[in-house]
């Protein structure tokens, strides 16, 4: 997404953390880490039911 499209979201995250940008970034990084773990776990669950060549990936493209 373009940076301009995310401006309101960024402002909201920083405001939620009372203007503490470091706390906002830390929270977002922890969320990313958690979601990557969830994707890895989901990938492990679906791998047996997927056809060859259609395996999902948690990597950003």
């Amino acid at each position: 997404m373009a940076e301009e499209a995310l401006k309101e979201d960024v402002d909201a995250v920083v405001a939620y953390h009372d203007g503490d940008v470091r706390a906002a970034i830390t929270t977002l990084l922890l969320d990313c880490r958690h979601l990557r773990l969830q994707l890895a776990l989901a990938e492990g669950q679906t791998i047996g039911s997927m056809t060859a060549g259609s395996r999902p990936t948690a990597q950003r493209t």
Side-chain angles (χ1 to χ4, degrees):
M1 292 184 123
E3 195 173 315
E4 191 62 32
L6 293 175
K7 185 177 181 347
E8 287 182 24
D9 291 335
V10 170
D11 291 343
V13 169
V14 173
Y16 179 83
H17 290 87
D18 297 321
D20 186 347
V21 175
R22 189 175 207 69
I25 293 170
T26 299
T27 297
L28 293 172
L29 289 173
L30 289 171
D31 286 348
C32 287
R33 183 178 291 170
H34 172 74
L35 291 172
R36 286 185 185 272
L37 175 61
Q38 294 300 307
L39 282 171
L41 292 172
E43 184 180 60
Q45 292 293 319
T46 60
I47 208 141
S49 64
M50 301 298 289
T51 59
S54 64
R55 185 174 162 209
T57 180
Q59 295 300 315
R60 214 171 158 189
T61 57

